[in-house]
Amino acid sequence: NAGVTQTPKFRILKIGQSMTLQCAQDMNHNYMYWYRQDPGMGLKLIYYSVGAGITDKGEVPNGYNVSRSTTEDFPLRLELAAPSQTSVYFCASSFVGAEKLFFGSGTQLSVL
Amino acid sequence: DQQVKQNSPSLSVQEGRISILNCDYTNSMFDYFLWYKKYPAEGPTFLISISSIKDKNEDGRFTVFLNKSAKHLSLHIVPSQPGDSAVYFCAARNTGTASKLTFGTGTRLQVTL
């Protein structure tokens, strides 16, 4: 039982490049989330999903896209990376909405 | 608009003493509150939670108190241990948007020997 797995752990992108952050969970949770954490700040919700095929925007969705084709996977796509997207990204899942989220170990992304 | 506020960025406590971490919120629609603990290079892990219908919840060394009239909650750790040194985040759920949590900015706790 691996929980929530995120890949990669670290990535450096050049301005304008694109990439996909992968997230998978093996707990059969319906709810999945993407958060970003900037230095000295709390976690900001980017996108979330309440089940396969259903996604919705969080507080800071601009510059990102998501898809949820299966219960297990919730990839986050960055198009045309910008320095403002330099952050640590966390994927999370939960059985019940917004209760006891299980987090992955994070992806540290730098856009230079 | 920071709806969940942790006004103390850091706190230092001696081992064996009580640690008290505070959190204030502004949105009266929050109905469920959680505390998460985060070690460096790891994701946050769930610690303890409390529903708005309660004013206290206890789990071992950890107790969360909720004062709805003051829109304030606190996490008490007794006794504090060196392994408790981490960043603690307070989070709240809005009853109207039950799929999302709003997080505070975190308090770094250091437990000294």
Side-chain angles (χ1 to χ4, degrees):
Chain A
N1 192 340
V4 179
T5 302
Q6 287 184 242
T7 56
K9 291 192 181 302
F10 303 94
R11 184 73 185 268
I12 298 175
L13 284 181
K14 293 183 179 179
I15 294 171
Q17 287 185 318
S18 299
M19 77 162 294
T20 299
L21 281 66
Q22 301 291 345
C23 176
Q25 53 94 6
D26 61 359
M27 296 174 283
N28 202 31
H29 287 167
N30 282 324
Y31 294 80
M32 294 190 75
Y33 312 83
W34 275 105
Y35 284 89
R36 60 177 284 174
Q37 185 189 13
D38 299 326
M41 304 294 288
L43 286 79
K44 299 288 188 185
L45 183 64
I46 305 171
Y47 270 95
Y48 68 102
S49 169
V50 302
I54 306 169
T55 62
D56 206 348
K57 296 177 181 178
E59 300 173 74
V60 290
N62 292 342
Y64 307 95
N65 277 300
V66 293
S67 59
R68 185 95 182 270
S69 56
T70 66
T71 299
E72 294 78 20
D73 299 298
F74 191 41
L76 177 72
R77 179 80 177 163
L78 279 72
E79 303 283 0
L80 298 174
S84 61
Q85 293 178 305
T86 294
S87 189
V88 181
Y89 291 83
F90 292 101
C91 178
S93 71
S94 66
F95 182 67
V96 178
E99 287 190 22
K100 196 172 181 179
L101 273 62
F102 291 81
F103 283 84
S105 58
T107 295
Q108 186 163 337
L109 176 68
S110 296
V111 182
L112 306 175
Chain B
D1 177 27
Q2 190 70 29
Q3 297 186 58
V4 178
K5 301 176 185 178
Q6 295 177 256
N7 293 318
S8 299
S10 63
L11 175 68
S12 183
V13 172
Q14 274 191 321
E15 181 181 11
R17 307 292 284 266
I18 184 171
S19 295
I20 300 176
L21 293 89
N22 294 304
C23 179
D24 297 294
Y25 62 96
T26 58
N27 192 333
S28 58
M29 296 296 287
F30 288 148
D31 69 339
Y32 192 74
F33 303 88
L34 307 90
W35 284 94
Y36 282 84
K37 176 180 180 179
K38 184 184 180 305
Y39 293 118
E42 295 183 11
T45 55
F46 170 78
L47 193 57
I48 192 169
S49 62
I50 187 167
S51 167
S52 60
I53 62 173
K54 295 185 174 182
D55 55 16
K56 177 182 175 181
N57 188 27
E58 191 171 354
D59 184 2
R61 296 186 297 115
F62 303 92
T63 303
V64 56
F65 295 92
L66 175 62
N67 183 331
K68 284 183 64 178
S69 61
K71 293 190 175 66
H72 178 83
L73 65 156
S74 60
L75 174 68
H76 293 210
I77 306 174
V78 184
S80 300
Q81 299 174 354
D84 296 329
S85 297
V87 177
Y88 290 79
F89 290 98
C90 167
R93 181 183 72 184
N94 185 326
T95 187
T97 58
S99 299
K100 298 183 282 188
L101 288 178
T102 301
F103 282 82
T105 53
T107 296
R108 182 178 302 277
L109 173 66
Q110 184 175 9
V111 179
T112 59
L113 299 174

